[in-house]
Amino acid sequence: MTFNETAFPTAQSTLQTQKLRQLLVYLKQNSPFYQQLFKQHNVDIDSIKTLADLSTLPFTTKEDLQQRNNDFLCVSRDKIIEYASTSGTLGSPVTIALTDNDLDRLAVNEYHSFACADGSATDVYQLMLTLDRQFMAGIAYYSGLRKMGAGIVRLGPGVPSLQWETIQRLKPTAIVGVPSFILKLIQFAHAHGIDVNQSSVKKAICIGENIRNTDFSYNILGKRITEAWDIQLYSTYASTEMQTAFTECCARQGGHLQPDLLIVELLDDDNQPVLPHVPGEVTITTLGVEGMPLLRYKTGDICMYDDDTCTCGRNTLRLSPIIGRKKQMIKFKGTTLYPPAMFDLLNEIEEVIDFVVEVYCNDIGLDEVILHLLPAEHTEAADRKIRAYLQARLRVSPGIKYVSLAEIQKMQFPEASRKAIKFIDKRV
Protein backbone atom coordinates (compact mmCIF):
# COMPACT_ATOMS: atom_id res chain seq x y z
CA MET A 1 0.00 0.00 0.00
CA THR A 2 1.47 3.32 -1.08
CA PHE A 3 -1.03 5.77 0.46
CA ASN A 4 0.77 8.71 2.08
CA GLU A 5 -0.66 9.28 5.57
CA THR A 6 0.94 12.74 5.67
CA ALA A 7 -0.94 13.81 2.52
CA PHE A 8 -3.21 16.83 2.84
CA PRO A 9 -6.90 16.14 3.54
CA THR A 10 -7.82 17.22 -0.01
CA ALA A 11 -5.76 14.35 -1.41
CA GLN A 12 -7.41 11.93 1.01
CA SER A 13 -10.84 13.23 0.02
CA THR A 14 -10.08 12.76 -3.67
CA LEU A 15 -8.96 9.18 -3.08
CA GLN A 16 -11.97 8.36 -0.90
CA THR A 17 -14.41 9.86 -3.41
CA GLN A 18 -12.93 7.74 -6.18
CA LYS A 19 -13.13 4.59 -4.06
CA LEU A 20 -16.66 5.41 -2.90
CA ARG A 21 -17.90 5.67 -6.46
CA GLN A 22 -16.22 2.36 -7.29
CA LEU A 23 -17.91 0.81 -4.25
CA LEU A 24 -21.38 2.02 -5.29
CA VAL A 25 -21.00 0.51 -8.76
CA TYR A 26 -19.76 -2.73 -7.22
CA LEU A 27 -22.67 -2.93 -4.76
CA LYS A 28 -25.24 -2.25 -7.45
CA GLN A 29 -23.79 -5.03 -9.60
CA ASN A 30 -23.09 -7.66 -6.94
CA SER A 31 -24.92 -7.16 -3.63
CA PRO A 32 -28.48 -8.53 -3.29
CA PHE A 33 -28.98 -6.46 -0.13
CA TYR A 34 -27.84 -3.14 -1.60
CA GLN A 35 -29.57 -3.76 -4.91
CA GLN A 36 -32.86 -3.92 -3.00
CA LEU A 37 -31.93 -1.03 -0.69
CA PHE A 38 -31.04 1.24 -3.62
CA LYS A 39 -34.30 0.37 -5.35
CA GLN A 40 -36.32 0.89 -2.16
CA HIS A 41 -34.81 4.37 -1.59
CA ASN A 42 -34.61 5.37 -5.27
CA VAL A 43 -30.84 5.75 -5.05
CA ASP A 44 -29.17 7.03 -8.21
CA ILE A 45 -25.51 6.14 -7.69
CA ASP A 46 -24.48 8.47 -10.54
CA SER A 47 -25.63 11.41 -8.39
CA ILE A 48 -22.97 10.62 -5.76
CA LYS A 49 -20.06 12.76 -6.90
CA THR A 50 -18.46 13.94 -3.61
CA LEU A 51 -18.05 12.68 -0.05
CA ALA A 52 -20.68 15.20 1.02
CA ASP A 53 -23.19 13.31 -1.15
CA LEU A 54 -22.68 10.28 1.07
CA SER A 55 -25.19 11.81 3.50
CA THR A 56 -28.00 11.25 0.97
CA LEU A 57 -27.56 7.47 1.09
CA PRO A 58 -29.46 5.15 3.48
CA PHE A 59 -27.86 3.52 6.51
CA THR A 60 -27.05 -0.13 7.15
CA THR A 61 -27.63 -1.49 10.66
CA LYS A 62 -26.55 -4.42 12.79
CA GLU A 63 -30.09 -5.78 12.50
CA ASP A 64 -29.76 -5.78 8.69
CA LEU A 65 -26.61 -7.88 8.97
CA GLN A 66 -28.18 -10.26 11.47
CA GLN A 67 -31.42 -10.75 9.57
CA ARG A 68 -30.06 -10.83 6.02
CA ASN A 69 -26.47 -11.92 6.49
CA ASN A 70 -26.16 -13.91 3.23
CA ASP A 71 -27.64 -11.11 1.11
CA PHE A 72 -24.56 -8.98 1.80
CA LEU A 73 -22.30 -11.48 0.01
CA CYS A 74 -21.00 -10.09 -3.28
CA VAL A 75 -19.06 -13.12 -4.56
CA SER A 76 -19.79 -16.79 -5.22
CA ARG A 77 -19.02 -19.17 -2.37
CA ASP A 78 -16.04 -20.66 -4.20
CA LYS A 79 -14.31 -17.25 -3.89
CA ILE A 80 -14.56 -17.26 -0.08
CA ILE A 81 -11.34 -18.19 1.68
CA GLU A 82 -12.13 -17.33 5.30
CA TYR A 83 -15.28 -17.13 7.41
CA ALA A 84 -15.02 -14.80 10.40
CA SER A 85 -17.79 -13.93 12.84
CA THR A 86 -18.62 -11.24 15.35
CA SER A 87 -18.70 -12.10 19.05
CA GLY A 88 -22.46 -11.55 19.30
CA THR A 89 -22.14 -8.99 22.12
CA LEU A 90 -25.27 -7.16 20.94
CA GLY A 91 -27.29 -10.11 19.65
CA SER A 92 -26.74 -13.08 17.38
CA PRO A 93 -23.28 -13.32 15.77
CA VAL A 94 -22.78 -12.14 12.19
CA THR A 95 -20.63 -14.03 9.69
CA ILE A 96 -18.23 -11.99 7.56
CA ALA A 97 -16.92 -13.80 4.49
CA LEU A 98 -13.48 -12.83 3.17
CA THR A 99 -11.94 -13.47 -0.23
CA ASP A 100 -8.25 -13.84 -0.92
CA ASN A 101 -8.12 -10.11 -1.74
CA ASP A 102 -9.89 -9.30 1.54
CA LEU A 103 -7.28 -11.27 3.48
CA ASP A 104 -4.56 -9.31 1.69
CA ARG A 105 -6.34 -6.06 2.58
CA LEU A 106 -6.59 -7.21 6.21
CA ALA A 107 -2.85 -7.88 6.27
CA VAL A 108 -2.12 -4.42 4.81
CA ASN A 109 -4.40 -2.85 7.42
CA GLU A 110 -2.57 -4.51 10.32
CA TYR A 111 0.84 -3.94 8.77
CA HIS A 112 0.13 -0.20 8.84
CA SER A 113 -1.43 -0.48 12.30
CA PHE A 114 1.66 -2.11 13.79
CA ALA A 115 3.90 0.36 11.96
CA CYS A 116 1.81 3.22 13.37
CA ALA A 117 2.41 1.77 16.84
CA ASP A 118 6.18 1.93 16.34
CA GLY A 119 6.52 -1.70 15.24
CA SER A 120 9.20 -2.99 12.90
CA ALA A 121 10.67 -6.16 11.45
CA THR A 122 13.11 -6.32 14.36
CA ASP A 123 10.28 -6.88 16.86
CA VAL A 124 8.96 -10.19 18.16
CA TYR A 125 5.26 -10.13 19.16
CA GLN A 126 3.67 -12.57 21.58
CA LEU A 127 -0.02 -12.92 20.65
CA MET A 128 -2.05 -13.34 23.85
CA LEU A 129 -5.44 -13.54 22.15
CA THR A 130 -7.85 -16.01 20.58
CA LEU A 131 -6.46 -17.32 17.31
CA ASP A 132 -9.33 -19.62 16.34
CA ARG A 133 -13.16 -19.73 16.74
CA GLN A 134 -13.67 -17.50 13.67
CA PHE A 135 -12.02 -14.57 15.46
CA MET A 136 -10.91 -12.10 12.76
CA ALA A 137 -8.47 -10.24 15.00
CA GLY A 138 -6.27 -13.31 15.41
CA ILE A 139 -5.69 -13.87 11.71
CA ALA A 140 -5.46 -10.10 11.13
CA TYR A 141 -2.62 -9.60 13.63
CA TYR A 142 -0.81 -12.68 12.41
CA SER A 143 -1.07 -11.65 8.75
CA GLY A 144 -0.03 -8.06 9.43
CA LEU A 145 3.02 -9.12 11.41
CA ARG A 146 4.02 -11.55 8.67
CA LYS A 147 3.81 -8.72 6.14
CA MET A 148 5.94 -6.56 8.42
CA GLY A 149 8.49 -9.35 8.77
CA ALA A 150 8.33 -9.36 12.57
CA GLY A 151 8.69 -12.46 14.71
CA ILE A 152 5.46 -14.04 15.99
CA VAL A 153 4.74 -16.18 19.06
CA ARG A 154 1.18 -17.59 18.70
CA LEU A 155 0.47 -18.48 22.30
CA GLY A 156 -3.21 -17.61 22.65
CA PRO A 157 -5.09 -16.18 25.65
CA GLY A 158 -4.85 -16.87 29.37
CA VAL A 159 -2.47 -18.99 31.48
CA PRO A 160 -0.10 -16.37 33.00
CA SER A 161 2.44 -19.03 33.97
CA LEU A 162 2.82 -20.18 30.36
CA GLN A 163 2.93 -16.60 29.10
CA TRP A 164 5.82 -15.78 31.42
CA GLU A 165 7.65 -19.03 30.70
CA THR A 166 7.45 -18.19 27.00
CA ILE A 167 8.53 -14.58 27.51
CA GLN A 168 11.57 -15.72 29.46
CA ARG A 169 12.42 -18.37 26.88
CA LEU A 170 11.76 -16.62 23.55
CA LYS A 171 12.36 -12.98 24.57
CA PRO A 172 9.54 -11.20 22.67
CA THR A 173 9.84 -7.40 22.51
CA ALA A 174 6.07 -6.78 22.40
CA ILE A 175 2.78 -8.36 23.38
CA VAL A 176 -0.75 -8.11 21.97
CA GLY A 177 -3.46 -8.66 24.54
CA VAL A 178 -6.42 -7.45 26.58
CA PRO A 179 -5.35 -4.82 29.18
CA SER A 180 -7.08 -6.54 32.11
CA PHE A 181 -5.12 -9.70 31.28
CA ILE A 182 -1.87 -7.70 31.17
CA LEU A 183 -2.70 -6.62 34.72
CA LYS A 184 -3.08 -10.30 35.66
CA LEU A 185 0.35 -10.95 34.13
CA ILE A 186 1.78 -8.28 36.42
CA GLN A 187 0.04 -9.73 39.46
CA PHE A 188 1.33 -13.23 38.64
CA ALA A 189 4.84 -11.89 38.17
CA HIS A 190 4.81 -10.12 41.54
CA ALA A 191 3.49 -13.24 43.26
CA HIS A 192 6.22 -15.43 41.73
CA GLY A 193 9.26 -13.19 42.01
CA ILE A 194 9.42 -12.14 38.35
CA ASP A 195 10.73 -8.60 37.72
CA VAL A 196 8.55 -7.36 34.86
CA ASN A 197 10.93 -4.49 34.13
CA GLN A 198 13.80 -6.90 33.53
CA SER A 199 11.82 -8.77 30.88
CA SER A 200 12.34 -8.37 27.13
CA VAL A 201 8.85 -6.90 26.63
CA LYS A 202 8.90 -3.15 26.10
CA LYS A 203 5.54 -2.41 24.46
CA ALA A 204 1.99 -3.72 24.30
CA ILE A 205 -0.78 -3.42 21.73
CA CYS A 206 -3.94 -3.22 23.85
CA ILE A 207 -7.13 -4.68 22.38
CA GLY A 208 -10.75 -4.96 23.46
CA GLU A 209 -10.70 -2.55 26.43
CA ASN A 210 -10.02 1.14 26.97
CA ILE A 211 -6.76 2.14 28.66
CA ARG A 212 -7.41 5.87 28.26
CA ASN A 213 -9.99 8.48 29.14
CA THR A 214 -11.44 10.61 26.37
CA ASP A 215 -8.76 13.27 27.05
CA PHE A 216 -6.18 10.51 26.30
CA SER A 217 -4.88 10.38 29.87
CA TYR A 218 -4.60 6.88 31.28
CA ASN A 219 -7.70 5.52 32.97
CA ILE A 220 -7.25 3.38 36.08
CA LEU A 221 -6.45 0.27 34.02
CA GLY A 222 -3.76 2.08 32.05
CA LYS A 223 -2.37 3.62 35.24
CA ARG A 224 -2.14 0.30 37.06
CA ILE A 225 -0.27 -1.30 34.19
CA THR A 226 2.22 1.53 33.63
CA GLU A 227 2.81 2.16 37.34
CA ALA A 228 3.95 -1.45 37.75
CA TRP A 229 5.57 -2.02 34.34
CA ASP A 230 7.74 0.43 32.41
CA ILE A 231 6.08 -0.45 29.13
CA GLN A 232 4.77 1.51 26.15
CA LEU A 233 1.02 1.01 25.64
CA TYR A 234 -0.82 1.53 22.34
CA SER A 235 -4.62 1.55 22.08
CA THR A 236 -6.56 0.07 19.18
CA TYR A 237 -10.18 0.14 18.05
CA ALA A 238 -11.59 -2.19 15.42
CA SER A 239 -14.53 -4.42 14.58
CA THR A 240 -15.08 -7.51 12.47
CA GLU A 241 -17.55 -5.65 10.26
CA MET A 242 -15.19 -2.80 9.32
CA GLN A 243 -12.23 -5.13 8.65
CA THR A 244 -9.99 -2.19 9.57
CA ALA A 245 -8.32 -0.88 12.73
CA PHE A 246 -7.73 2.54 14.30
CA THR A 247 -4.37 2.41 16.09
CA GLU A 248 -2.45 4.91 18.22
CA CYS A 249 0.89 6.34 17.17
CA CYS A 250 3.70 7.54 19.44
CA ALA A 251 1.70 10.72 20.24
CA ARG A 252 -1.11 8.63 21.79
CA GLN A 253 -3.76 11.18 20.89
CA GLY A 254 -6.28 8.84 19.29
CA GLY A 255 -6.43 5.94 16.85
CA HIS A 256 -5.53 6.90 13.27
CA LEU A 257 -7.94 6.30 10.40
CA GLN A 258 -6.60 4.52 7.33
CA PRO A 259 -8.48 6.62 4.75
CA ASP A 260 -7.71 4.34 1.82
CA LEU A 261 -9.54 1.50 3.63
CA LEU A 262 -12.45 3.23 5.34
CA ILE A 263 -14.70 6.28 5.32
CA VAL A 264 -15.87 7.22 8.80
CA GLU A 265 -18.70 9.53 9.85
CA LEU A 266 -19.57 10.50 13.42
CA LEU A 267 -23.27 11.28 13.71
CA ASP A 268 -25.60 12.63 16.38
CA ASP A 269 -29.03 11.27 17.31
CA ASP A 270 -30.52 13.10 14.32
CA ASN A 271 -27.96 11.49 11.98
CA GLN A 272 -26.17 14.81 11.46
CA PRO A 273 -22.35 15.09 11.55
CA VAL A 274 -20.91 16.17 14.88
CA LEU A 275 -18.07 18.63 15.31
CA PRO A 276 -14.61 17.57 16.52
CA HIS A 277 -14.49 16.62 20.22
CA VAL A 278 -18.27 16.04 20.32
CA PRO A 279 -19.58 12.48 20.91
CA GLY A 280 -21.15 10.79 17.89
CA GLU A 281 -21.97 7.33 16.58
CA VAL A 282 -19.19 5.78 14.50
CA THR A 283 -20.65 5.06 11.04
CA ILE A 284 -18.39 3.39 8.49
CA THR A 285 -18.14 2.67 4.78
CA THR A 286 -15.60 0.02 3.83
CA LEU A 287 -13.30 0.65 0.87
CA GLY A 288 -11.67 -2.12 -1.13
CA VAL A 289 -13.62 -4.97 0.50
CA GLU A 290 -14.64 -7.65 -2.00
CA GLY A 291 -16.64 -10.28 -0.09
CA MET A 292 -19.01 -8.30 2.14
CA PRO A 293 -18.54 -4.53 1.78
CA LEU A 294 -20.68 -2.19 3.90
CA LEU A 295 -22.15 1.25 3.14
CA ARG A 296 -22.90 3.72 5.95
CA TYR A 297 -22.92 0.98 8.57
CA LYS A 298 -23.94 2.26 12.01
CA THR A 299 -21.61 0.51 14.48
CA GLY A 300 -23.43 1.65 17.63
CA ASP A 301 -20.10 2.79 19.10
CA ILE A 302 -19.98 6.33 20.52
CA CYS A 303 -16.74 8.31 20.45
CA MET A 304 -15.22 11.65 19.41
CA TYR A 305 -12.78 12.63 16.68
CA ASP A 306 -9.98 15.09 15.99
CA ASP A 307 -8.95 16.10 12.49
CA ASP A 308 -5.99 18.35 13.28
CA THR A 309 -2.56 17.26 12.06
CA CYS A 310 -1.04 14.86 14.60
CA THR A 311 2.37 15.61 16.08
CA CYS A 312 3.55 12.39 14.43
CA GLY A 313 3.02 14.11 11.06
CA ARG A 314 -0.01 12.14 9.93
CA ASN A 315 -2.96 14.13 8.58
CA THR A 316 -5.48 11.36 9.16
CA LEU A 317 -8.56 11.68 11.37
CA ARG A 318 -8.16 10.23 14.86
CA LEU A 319 -10.78 8.59 17.07
CA SER A 320 -10.96 8.90 20.85
CA PRO A 321 -11.44 5.88 23.10
CA ILE A 322 -14.94 4.47 22.79
CA ILE A 323 -17.27 6.18 25.27
CA GLY A 324 -19.87 3.43 25.05
CA ARG A 325 -22.26 1.59 22.79
CA LYS A 326 -25.49 3.31 21.85
CA LYS A 327 -27.62 0.24 22.59
CA GLN A 328 -25.83 -0.36 25.89
CA MET A 329 -26.65 3.09 27.27
CA ILE A 330 -28.35 2.74 30.66
CA LYS A 331 -30.86 5.23 32.08
CA PHE A 332 -30.77 4.43 35.80
CA LYS A 333 -32.66 6.59 38.28
CA GLY A 334 -32.34 9.61 36.00
CA THR A 335 -28.62 9.12 35.35
CA THR A 336 -27.12 8.08 32.01
CA LEU A 337 -24.48 5.36 32.39
CA TYR A 338 -22.28 3.57 29.87
CA PRO A 339 -20.69 0.20 30.73
CA PRO A 340 -17.06 1.26 29.94
CA ALA A 341 -17.29 4.09 32.48
CA MET A 342 -18.64 1.66 35.08
CA PHE A 343 -15.80 -0.77 34.28
CA ASP A 344 -13.26 2.01 34.89
CA LEU A 345 -14.91 2.82 38.21
CA LEU A 346 -14.97 -0.79 39.40
CA ASN A 347 -11.33 -1.23 38.39
CA GLU A 348 -10.47 1.64 40.73
CA ILE A 349 -11.89 -0.15 43.79
CA GLU A 350 -9.17 -2.15 45.52
CA GLU A 351 -11.77 -4.19 47.39
CA VAL A 352 -13.12 -5.58 44.08
CA ILE A 353 -11.08 -8.26 42.31
CA ASP A 354 -13.43 -8.86 39.38
CA PHE A 355 -16.97 -8.01 38.29
CA VAL A 356 -19.86 -8.37 35.85
CA VAL A 357 -22.36 -5.55 35.26
CA GLU A 358 -25.94 -6.68 34.60
CA VAL A 359 -28.84 -4.51 33.45
CA TYR A 360 -32.49 -5.54 33.18
CA CYS A 361 -35.96 -3.93 33.04
CA ASN A 362 -38.06 -3.81 36.19
CA ASP A 363 -41.81 -4.39 36.22
CA ILE A 364 -42.56 -0.83 35.11
CA GLY A 365 -40.07 -0.91 32.23
CA LEU A 366 -37.21 1.08 33.80
CA ASP A 367 -33.55 0.08 33.74
CA GLU A 368 -32.17 -1.63 36.85
CA VAL A 369 -28.47 -2.32 37.45
CA ILE A 370 -26.92 -5.08 39.53
CA LEU A 371 -23.19 -5.48 40.03
CA HIS A 372 -21.89 -9.02 40.50
CA LEU A 373 -18.68 -8.49 42.45
CA LEU A 374 -15.85 -10.81 43.44
CA PRO A 375 -14.57 -9.15 46.63
CA ALA A 376 -11.04 -9.28 47.98
CA GLU A 377 -12.61 -9.76 51.41
CA HIS A 378 -16.30 -10.28 52.11
CA THR A 379 -16.63 -8.10 55.21
CA GLU A 380 -19.11 -5.46 56.36
CA ALA A 381 -16.37 -2.81 56.30
CA ALA A 382 -15.46 -3.63 52.70
CA ASP A 383 -19.13 -3.62 51.70
CA ARG A 384 -19.66 -0.18 53.25
CA LYS A 385 -16.59 1.21 51.48
CA ILE A 386 -17.65 -0.20 48.10
CA ARG A 387 -21.21 1.14 48.40
CA ALA A 388 -20.06 4.56 49.56
CA TYR A 389 -17.56 4.84 46.70
CA LEU A 390 -20.14 3.89 44.09
CA GLN A 391 -22.69 6.33 45.50
CA ALA A 392 -20.15 9.15 45.52
CA ARG A 393 -18.95 8.55 41.96
CA LEU A 394 -22.19 7.48 40.25
CA ARG A 395 -24.62 9.55 42.37
CA VAL A 396 -26.92 6.51 42.26
CA SER A 397 -26.78 3.17 44.09
CA PRO A 398 -26.87 0.05 41.90
CA GLY A 399 -27.69 -3.31 43.39
CA ILE A 400 -24.73 -5.40 44.54
CA LYS A 401 -24.41 -9.17 44.67
CA TYR A 402 -21.19 -10.73 45.95
CA VAL A 403 -20.18 -13.89 44.13
CA SER A 404 -17.44 -16.53 44.29
CA LEU A 405 -14.56 -17.00 41.87
CA ALA A 406 -16.32 -19.99 40.28
CA GLU A 407 -19.54 -17.99 39.86
CA ILE A 408 -17.81 -14.98 38.27
CA GLN A 409 -15.87 -17.21 35.87
CA LYS A 410 -19.07 -18.99 34.83
CA MET A 411 -20.71 -15.64 34.09
CA GLN A 412 -17.72 -14.24 32.20
CA PHE A 413 -16.97 -17.32 30.13
CA PRO A 414 -20.16 -19.02 28.96
CA GLU A 415 -19.78 -21.89 26.54
CA ALA A 416 -17.92 -20.98 23.30
CA SER A 417 -17.15 -17.43 24.49
CA ARG A 418 -13.98 -15.99 22.92
CA LYS A 419 -13.46 -13.27 25.50
CA ALA A 420 -14.52 -12.39 29.01
CA ILE A 421 -18.04 -10.97 29.24
CA LYS A 422 -18.20 -8.01 31.62
CA PHE A 423 -21.66 -6.72 30.65
CA ILE A 424 -24.92 -8.67 30.52
CA ASP A 425 -27.93 -6.89 29.03
CA LYS A 426 -31.22 -8.62 29.87
CA ARG A 427 -33.43 -5.77 28.64
CA VAL A 428 -35.95 -6.91 26.01
Side-chain angles (χ1 to χ4, degrees), residues 199-334:
S199 77
S200 58
V201 177
K202 303 304 177 187
K203 56 191 171 189
I205 308 298
C206 296
I207 66 172
E209 295 172 346
N210 285 344
I211 56 167
R212 299 190 191 282
N213 302 306
T214 52
D215 64 357
F216 305 114
S217 62
Y218 280 127
N219 62 16
I220 190 65
L221 196 52
K223 285 179 182 177
R224 285 188 176 180
I225 293 171
T226 53
E227 286 171 356
W229 197 347
D230 184 15
I231 190 172
Q232 299 295 316
L233 303 183
Y234 299 85
S235 289
T236 65
Y237 163 60
S239 73
T240 304
E241 296 95 326
M242 71 174 66
Q243 303 182 48
T244 316
F246 292 79
T247 305
E248 280 186 334
C249 66
C250 57
R252 296 174 180 82
Q253 293 292 303
H256 282 275
L257 168 70
Q258 298 188 48
D260 51 334
L261 302 181
L262 201 72
I263 297 171
V264 63
E265 306 168 78
L266 272 79
L267 306 175
D268 64 19
D269 289 340
D270 296 320
N271 293 321
Q272 297 302 307
V274 299
L275 295 173
H277 314 295
V278 175
E281 181 176 5
V282 179
T283 303
I284 59 99
T285 295
T286 58
L287 301 175
V289 172
E290 189 175 50
M292 297 184 76
L294 295 173
L295 176 68
R296 300 200 83 194
Y297 176 72
K298 295 172 76 72
T299 66
D301 293 330
I302 306 297
C303 73
M304 298 182 288
Y305 77 94
D306 192 330
D307 56 3
D308 290 337
T309 300
C310 184
T311 56
C312 74
R314 292 177 175 85
N315 271 307
T316 52
L317 175 147
R318 285 165 284 131
L319 289 186
S320 75
I322 298 301
I323 298 169
R325 286 184 169 174
K326 194 170 185 177
K327 287 194 173 181
Q328 290 182 342
M329 185 181 76
I330 303 165
K331 291 291 290 185
F332 181 54
K333 297 181 180 179

Side-chain angles (χ1 to χ4, degrees), residues 128 157-160 164 175-188 204-212 219-226 229 233 343-344 346-347 352-355 412-413 419-422:
M128 301 177 173
V159 198
W164 276 115
I175 57 178
V176 182
V178 177
S180 56
F181 180 69
I182 296 174
L183 195 58
K184 290 180 180 179
L185 281 180
I186 294 170
Q187 293 165 347
F188 180 91
I205 308 298
C206 296
I207 66 172
E209 295 172 346
N210 285 344
I211 56 167
R212 299 190 191 282
N219 62 16
I220 190 65
L221 196 52
K223 285 179 182 177
R224 285 188 176 180
I225 293 171
T226 53
W229 197 347
L233 303 183
F343 299 167
D344 287 346
L346 290 166
N347 280 322
V352 175
I353 297 174
D354 212 343
F355 57 85
Q412 290 184 350
F413 295 97
K419 54 187 179 183
I421 293 173
K422 297 278 190 173

Side-chain angles (χ1 to χ4, degrees), residues 32-67:
F33 176 83
Y34 286 109
Q35 287 168 353
Q36 182 178 339
L37 190 69
F38 290 170
K39 184 176 181 180
Q40 177 185 344
H41 291 269
N42 298 313
V43 171
D44 175 13
I45 64 171
D46 293 329
S47 68
I48 308 301
K49 300 184 183 300
T50 69
L51 288 183
D53 296 331
L54 187 65
S55 64
T56 66
L57 296 172
F59 295 105
T60 306
T61 66
K62 183 82 166 186
E63 289 74 21
D64 293 328
L65 270 176
Q66 289 171 328
Q67 294 167 12

